[in-house]
Amino acid sequence: MAVEVCVKAAVGHPDTLGDCPFSQRVLLTLEEKKVSYQMKLIDVSNKPDWFLKINPEGKVPVFNGGDGKWIADSDVIVQVIEEKYPSPPLVTPPEDASVGSKIFSTFVTFLKSKDSNDGSEQALLTELQALDDHLKAHGPYINGQNVSAVDLSLAPKLYHLTVALDHFKGWKIPENLTSVHAYVKALFSRESFEKTKAAKEHVIAGWAPKVNP
């Protein structure tokens, strides 16, 4: 049986890859390990019965390693992929595994914020500065010369951050965070990323109802 992964389809475009950063993380992991897989696009506003049977919670991504057993949760999925396909190794050392882990939540808070004095922009800048400091000391990637799991988790989130904040707030990552800029450029230009990213308009469409409910 083939390796299969169920991922989010674009909003209003059920045949197009959608904007779920957790789905992209799994696809990136498979691409970096050169594992061939079948991608099944799930319209999350109209989930098919077969999908709800294998995954009653209805969340994406869901992964089947070819043994017919479906696994949910991107944290668990990438661990299973790592164990089953150990080469090239993508394990991030424990001391680096949480680098950048608060960027996504602080980005979402800032994106949804309607009050410029609520501290949400500063909270995001603090997290980005911490990432920049780490990359200056240890880069170009979080664990040095080679991409690892933490980069593949962060890359889709940084993509959402750059696309959504530019569109909805006209906000960009400050130029003085040079290591972050180099990091983003390196990640976004990887072949695995080019193949698995959602189009910018689908990222924007995915965030629109959350920004202006």
Side-chain angles (χ1 to χ4, degrees):
M1 276 177 76
V3 171
E4 297 172 296
V5 57
C6 298
V7 298
K8 182 185 176 185
V11 177
H13 297 268
D15 300 324
T16 305
L17 177 61
D19 59 305
C20 168
F22 306 99
S23 294
Q24 192 188 2
R25 175 191 184 189
V26 171
L27 297 177
L28 281 169
T29 305
L30 291 166
E31 290 287 344
E32 288 287 343
K33 288 184 174 289
K34 303 281 189 271
V35 177
S36 56
Y37 59 92
Q38 286 180 349
M39 184 168 69
K40 295 180 182 295
L41 297 173
I42 305 299
D43 180 351
V44 292
S45 62
N46 183 24
K47 293 167 188 164
D49 290 342
W50 66 262
F51 175 67
L52 292 170
K53 272 199 186 82
I54 60 168
N55 182 34
E57 272 196 12
K59 288 183 178 170
V60 287
V62 194
F63 173 83
N64 165 19
D67 54 6
K69 201 170 85 177
W70 290 93
I71 304 161
D73 188 322
S74 62
D75 283 338
V76 178
I77 295 169
V78 295
Q79 211 169 337
V80 167
I81 295 170
E82 186 63 46
E83 285 163 12
K84 193 168 177 177
Y85 305 100
S87 181
L90 293 174
V91 177
T92 304
E95 63 271 20
D96 289 339
S98 63
V99 172
S101 62
K102 292 182 184 158
I103 287 174
F104 193 64
S105 59
T106 52
F107 145 63
V108 174
T109 304
F110 177 45
L111 179 65
K112 292 179 175 178
S113 164
K114 301 281 188 262
D115 175 4
S116 57
N117 297 315
D118 65 2
S120 59
E121 179 180 9
Q122 189 51 52
L124 175 59
L125 286 169
T126 300
E127 294 304 323
L128 289 170
Q129 182 66 60
L131 175 61
D132 198 75
D133 292 345
H134 179 91
L135 292 168
K136 265 194 181 61
H138 305 283
Y141 296 106
I142 285 175
N143 183 35
Q145 290 302 317
N146 297 317
V147 154
S148 71
V150 66
D151 303 302
L152 303 184
S153 174
L154 208 44
K157 296 168 183 172
L158 288 167
Y159 180 59
H160 277 245
L161 182 157
T162 54
V163 172
L165 287 177
D166 185 27
H167 178 80
F168 292 106
K169 287 185 181 279
W171 190 95
K172 290 180 168 62
I173 295 172
E175 289 300 324
N176 64 325
L177 299 178
T178 51
S179 295
V180 172
H181 276 278
Y183 178 64
V184 165
K185 194 174 171 187
L187 288 173
F188 293 3
S189 62
R190 291 183 79 82
E191 187 187 353
S192 61
F193 194 89
E194 291 283 350
K195 275 180 81 170
T196 59
K197 70 177 181 183
K200 284 184 179 180
E201 63 265 28
H202 298 318
V203 173
I204 291 162
W207 284 108
K210 300 179 182 82
V211 176
N212 302 307

